Amino acid sequence: MSDVELAIAADQISERVWLYVHYDCNLSCAYCLSGSTPMSKRRQLSSARLLELADEAKSLGFKALGVTGGEPFLRRWMVDTLVEMAARLPVLVLTNGTLFAGKRLAAMAPLASAAVTVQMSLDRLDPGANDDLRAKGNHAAVVQAITALIELGIRVRVASTLDDLAEDLAFLAFVRGLGVAEEDHILRPIVRRGRAVDTDMGVRATLSDFRPELTISADGAFWGPFGPTVRDERVDTDLLLCRSTRPLAVPAGRLIALARGLPSGHDTTLGIR
């Protein structure tokens, strides 16, 4: 077994490599980790680079890929690239879910026959409370996108940031009713990084609170997907492993070395696994 496979088997690191495609987005959500807006600097990983990273991740022994942004589906080549990536390893792609209508929705069809799961954020049962965090009309757009993608045969996950148990229970029932399986509804706290610092939201967290998940962006390699957060167009470096991402074995080795010094289960205290 490779060093990566051994570390995964020992539950020292995640089996998934996360890839930040870019940082621009059509929304400006209140707690966005990457501080994304329509005006954000792109900081893009190209389609060719994503496929190169997918090949390297597989050869090292990783078992899955994650794709996030920014809004990945702003790039017209994203669906074709995801299909190619999924031929290497299963892919989880994060999206705000607001672009899937008309031709863009039809273009998603190839994902139904690929090992790709689409994860969307829906934060509150009440549309107004949800839209206050994300954008006007977001709740309706995401609910429509969830049902439309499921009808296409695409696996959908939903991520929610809730802090009220009574609302949690009602919300769980609502999301189940949309056709999302229980295991595909993720409840997690808002983490005070990125724009959440400016809006005074979420829980404070440090390296030991996050699961070690190798994360690659145009700015380097990070401890996890909560690492390459942005404020005022500056990338936070407190969770930076190294600037170099070529070859991928270099940051993977650094992640493993750091992770081996942490106690088992360290990352479950905030419920963000």
Side-chain angles (χ1 to χ4, degrees):
M1 297 177 72
S2 68
D3 286 346
V4 166
E5 289 170 318
L6 289 170
I8 292 171
D11 198 29
Q12 294 170 339
I13 66 170
S14 170
E15 67 178 10
R16 190 183 309 277
V17 176
W18 283 97
L19 308 172
Y20 267 72
V21 179
H22 54 76
Y23 281 79
D24 55 318
C25 184
N26 58 315
L27 301 183
S28 302
C29 299
Y31 63 84
C32 181
L33 284 170
S34 53
S36 294
T37 73
M39 302 301 293
S40 294
K41 293 180 181 178
R42 188 169 291 184
R43 291 188 174 93
Q44 181 171 292
L45 297 177
S46 68
S47 175
R49 180 60 176 145
L50 291 173
L51 294 175
E52 180 183 29
L53 287 163
D55 285 333
E56 285 191 271
K58 182 177 180 179
S59 68
L60 288 173
F62 287 99
K63 306 301 182 186
L65 301 168
V67 173
T68 187
E71 172 47 53
F73 290 100
L74 285 175
R75 306 285 85 82
R76 296 285 185 173
W77 45 260
M78 182 51 59
V79 171
D80 289 341
T81 301
L82 289 172
V83 171
E84 291 193 57
M85 292 172 70
R88 279 84 161 169
L89 293 170
V91 180
L92 173 65
V93 57
L94 276 54
T95 172
N96 61 43
T98 62
L99 298 177
F100 306 135
K103 291 182 179 179
R104 282 184 182 267
L105 175 60
M108 295 289 285
L111 299 186
S113 56
V116 176
T117 300
V118 177
Q119 179 172 306
M120 286 177 268
S121 294
L122 191 64
D123 285 313
R124 297 291 184 271
L125 179 60
D126 176 70
N130 178 87
D131 293 358
D132 285 344
L133 292 171
R134 306 189 69 78
K136 184 178 180 179
N138 176 265
H139 189 280
V142 173
V143 167
Q144 181 178 0
I146 291 169
T147 56
L149 293 184
I150 290 174
E151 287 177 1
L152 285 176
I154 297 170
R155 183 180 176 185
V156 173
R157 295 205 328 177
V158 172
S160 305
T161 56
L162 296 175
D163 53 15
D164 180 84
L165 180 59
E167 185 181 13
D168 283 0
L169 296 175
F171 199 20
L172 288 172
F174 175 75
V175 175
R176 293 299 88 69
L178 297 176
V180 177
E182 182 177 357
E183 63 270 22
D184 285 332
H185 190 189
I186 313 304
L187 300 180
R188 59 178 178 80
I190 293 172
V191 175
R192 191 178 298 237
R193 291 182 67 85
R195 189 172 294 125
V197 176
D198 299 325
T199 53
D200 195 26
M201 300 174 69
V203 296
R204 300 181 188 277
T206 59
L207 181 146
S208 62
D209 295 309
F210 299 117
R211 182 163 174 74
E213 297 182 275
L214 183 58
T215 298
I216 305 298
S217 79
D219 296 291
F222 295 80
W223 177 262
F226 291 90
T229 50
V230 174
R231 294 184 63 206
D232 300 322
E233 291 294 346
R234 294 184 178 182
V235 178
D236 294 323
T237 58
D238 57 320
L239 298 180
L240 179 71
L241 294 172
C242 55
R243 291 291 186 182
S244 175
T245 60
R246 284 187 170 95
L248 192 62
V250 172
R254 293 194 180 187
L255 181 72
I256 291 170
L258 287 170
R260 282 176 175 161
L262 296 174
S264 178
H266 68 277
D267 57 302
T268 63
T269 56
L270 292 178
I272 56 178
R273 173 175 287 197

